Amino acid sequence: MEGEMKPYDSRSLVILALSLSFQVSFPDPMGAQGPATTPQEESAQLKLRKSIKTRQYQGEHVEGEERVVAPGDSLWKFLIQEKSLPEKQFARYVLIIGALNPHLKNPESLEVGDTVFIPIRLDELLGIKISPSTESEAKIHRVRSGEHLYKILREQGIKDGAEMLSVIKQVQDMNPKKKNWDILFVGEPLFLPGRVAPGRVRGSTVAVPARAKKSSEDSIASERGDKLPLQENIPLLEQIMVALGNEVHRTGVEALPLQEGVVRVDRGSFPVIENPRRAQKVILDLKGSMPPTLKSQMEKENSATRIVSAKRDTSLHEAVDSLLSQLGFQSLPADRPVVIQDAGLGVLVKGDWIFAEPQGSRSNHEMLIISLVESSAQTPDYLRDYLSGKGLNLKEIRLLNSLASASNASAASESSVQRQIQTWPAEKSALVDGVLEVYGISSLSNHQVSLQLWEGISMDFKIDRLFEFGGKRMALLFRPVGHEVKRALETAEGLRLVDLDLRVLSSRDLISRLLDSIGEPTTYRQHRFPANHGRANDHLVLTLSGFFLPRRSLLLTDGEIPKGLERFFSEKGFRVVYFR
């Protein structure tokens, strides 16, 4: 009827409320005041202002909104699916979200009920410099008695000069809450960079061979999943999906009911990945040929079915990411390792894909790591079982051109492992004898000599250890000795003296001084031992601090290796000696 007021729908009311709030928020350019706002307008304006929050990020004020995590939510959903941000930047987005939300235990794996601050213009923040150290591996060091930052970094193999200054700056950036670096408290945790720029840190004990020229036969094996083209690696994609408990259907027809009728999809052209436990299906549109309107209608009327469209240049990595995210898995950055610290041993695990298990999964694992490997580089069963006990489910997919036979048979029996493991007594003189024994040195203990100090004055003197090594006669003294006695020993006996005051030297310093004196200087530092070789040599790495003597295949450590992993070093051919 003409003149009758038409009712507004809910969207019109929201638009009206927002337009009113913006009208009253801008003053007249001539300074005149606008009309008084109504209570409804004031409420709409207040609500709009309250919805925008600000937080500080590297000295900048960042505007954003707070989201409460609901079942099925993830950062991938918030950022990639809802905000349509580029997938390739997801790892960097996670770093920024973590810095803006320090209350989150793990921003990569949100918990229902968490409140997450999401920036409105997240892409703009990528222009703000992110410290490279936060994107690389990081480790936690707990301060011990007598330590200071310079000493800690020296023991990590960092050289003096510009390198030391650079790493100190990295450490300070990684520990922003630490204000006074002149004082370190015993037991205080510090984040240290796990690796610095290549060639800047000394002490990597495992040599990295020069990259050989790739042949056509091993080109696939040397490529990561994000470089393998999807269209040429459908069988490999199928292996990955099946290994994760999904069913892949590539024959027959998939029937989907719509309001207008039933749509029948040829599975040969549109493979169907089904997760029977979660009653979910994903249809893979290999050529991206499905009309968007049909895709939208099929997803709307079949809530348990999703369609993932690929393009000609879609990679295997991108396809796996998209498929698993639709099946409820939460993608995590694969360029940074998952770090486990167990007793004195560190375990760094990487993969071509890393996912958090879907919510409601019956699996006891918290994370799923998928790696593409040659058969000869597969991880031994006992290491996989160890990771499983830590909540990591490692799935290794054999590359199609990897023809070497797979074998996880242990190369070391329990008895051979025990022969390769030794514990030295805590007594420091016994520690000295242990090091000498490693080098096959036979020594005389408490050797007595008579020294002529001055005319008419002599002294009976005890040498704690006397031996010959490398064509030189050497004397170890376990107590302080005066200058006159040292000169007399060197002159009359032709000895090279090594002072080892057992009362003040720590076990580490004692070993370091002794190794230096016999011509094999080394420092106590962290060493990396890859579990695999070839393209996967960085996928599973064990780290252990100690003295490593590669020519002797000997590892001296005061750390602790979990019993189940001692065999790892035996299978590598290393003898492990614990000292205290």
Side-chain angles (χ1 to χ4, degrees), residues 121-407:
R121 292 175 292 274
L122 186 55
D123 256 340
E124 293 182 11
L125 296 180
L126 293 182
I128 301 175
K129 184 178 179 181
I130 298 176
S131 173
S133 63
T134 61
E135 292 185 348
S136 64
E137 303 163 13
K139 57 190 175 188
I140 298 177
H141 175 87
R142 292 198 175 273
V143 178
R144 293 183 288 267
S145 177
E147 285 188 330
H148 49 80
L149 184 57
Y150 176 82
K151 180 180 179 182
I152 292 171
L153 296 181
R154 282 285 292 167
E155 291 182 347
Q156 300 292 324
I158 308 301
K159 296 185 297 184
D160 292 335
E163 178 180 333
M164 178 64 72
L165 294 176
S166 174
V167 177
I168 287 177
K169 180 63 168 61
Q170 288 187 47
V171 173
Q172 292 174 345
D173 290 343
M174 295 174 70
N175 298 269
K177 295 183 180 180
K178 178 72 176 175
K179 303 303 180 184
N180 186 358
W181 287 94
D182 295 329
I183 300 176
L184 300 183
F185 299 97
V186 174
E188 180 179 7
L190 296 178
F191 284 102
L192 302 182
R195 62 170 181 254
V196 190
R200 294 182 58 185
V201 176
R202 302 170 70 95
S204 176
T205 62
V206 181
V208 179
R211 184 182 296 272
K213 184 177 180 180
K214 291 186 290 188
S215 66
S216 59
E217 293 181 357
D218 64 6
S219 60
I220 293 182
S222 62
E223 296 286 351
R224 284 179 52 85
D226 55 357
K227 295 182 180 179
L228 293 173
L230 170 63
Q231 307 295 341
E232 301 171 16
N233 290 279
I234 300 302
L236 193 56
L237 174 69
E238 185 172 353
Q239 284 189 69
I240 296 171
M241 293 296 112
V242 171
L244 302 183
N246 301 303
E247 298 176 359
V248 180
H249 307 288
R250 298 183 62 189
T251 58
V253 173
E254 187 74 18
L256 297 175
L258 299 182
Q259 187 174 357
E260 293 87 353
V262 177
V263 173
R264 300 185 182 277
V265 180
D266 178 14
R267 292 171 176 171
S269 301
F270 298 86
V272 177
I273 295 90
E274 181 178 5
N275 188 323
R277 288 183 301 175
R278 297 175 59 84
Q280 289 181 312
K281 292 181 180 180
V282 179
I283 298 175
L284 179 57
D285 180 8
L286 286 173
K287 299 180 180 180
S289 58
M290 185 177 293
T293 53
L294 177 60
K295 172 183 174 181
S296 177
Q297 189 176 2
M298 290 169 62
E299 291 183 333
K300 180 179 179 181
E301 299 189 25
N302 297 270
S303 59
T305 301
R306 291 291 178 267
I307 291 92
V308 170
S309 297
K311 300 177 182 178
R312 179 173 297 179
D313 59 348
T314 297
S315 69
L316 176 66
H317 187 278
E318 294 169 334
V320 171
D321 272 341
S322 298
L323 290 171
L324 291 185
S325 65
Q326 292 293 346
L327 290 170
F329 295 84
Q330 181 179 347
S331 176
L332 304 177
D335 58 342
R336 292 181 294 157
V338 179
V339 181
I340 302 171
Q341 193 67 39
D342 190 354
L345 190 73
V347 182
L348 283 62
V349 191
K350 292 175 65 175
D352 292 281
W353 297 271
I354 302 180
F355 288 91
E357 294 274 14
Q359 290 188 351
S361 172
R362 290 179 292 179
S363 169
N364 294 325
H365 301 99
E366 298 175 2
M367 301 184 72
L368 175 65
I369 299 176
I370 310 170
S371 292
L372 302 177
V373 300
E374 299 94 339
S375 293
S376 58
Q378 287 184 290
T379 302
D381 286 340
Y382 72 89
L383 279 177
R384 294 157 64 91
D385 292 341
Y386 169 81
L387 295 176
S388 179
K390 300 296 180 181
L392 302 182
N393 185 5
L394 177 61
K395 295 287 187 180
E396 292 180 321
I397 310 300
R398 185 166 64 91
L399 288 162
L400 299 180
N401 69 332
S402 178
L403 303 178
S405 61
S407 175

Side-chain angles (χ1 to χ4, degrees), residues 425-489:
E427 185 182 356
K428 291 180 181 176
S429 60
L431 194 60
V432 171
D433 293 334
V435 174
L436 296 180
E437 182 184 354
V438 166
Y439 288 86
I441 297 174
S442 298
S443 65
L444 296 175
S445 300
N446 302 324
H447 179 69
Q448 298 289 335
V449 295
S450 180
L451 297 176
Q452 187 73 29
L453 298 181
W454 294 280
E455 186 176 351
I457 300 177
S458 64
M459 172 188 288
D460 293 333
F461 186 81
K462 182 184 73 171
I463 297 175
D464 295 289
R465 298 291 186 272
L466 179 66
F467 59 91
E468 186 171 331
F469 184 73
K472 298 179 181 179
R473 296 183 71 215
M474 303 183 66
L476 306 183
L477 306 178
F478 294 167
R479 62 201 184 282
V481 177
H483 178 68
E484 293 80 6
V485 176
K486 287 183 179 180
R487 183 171 59 183
L489 280 171

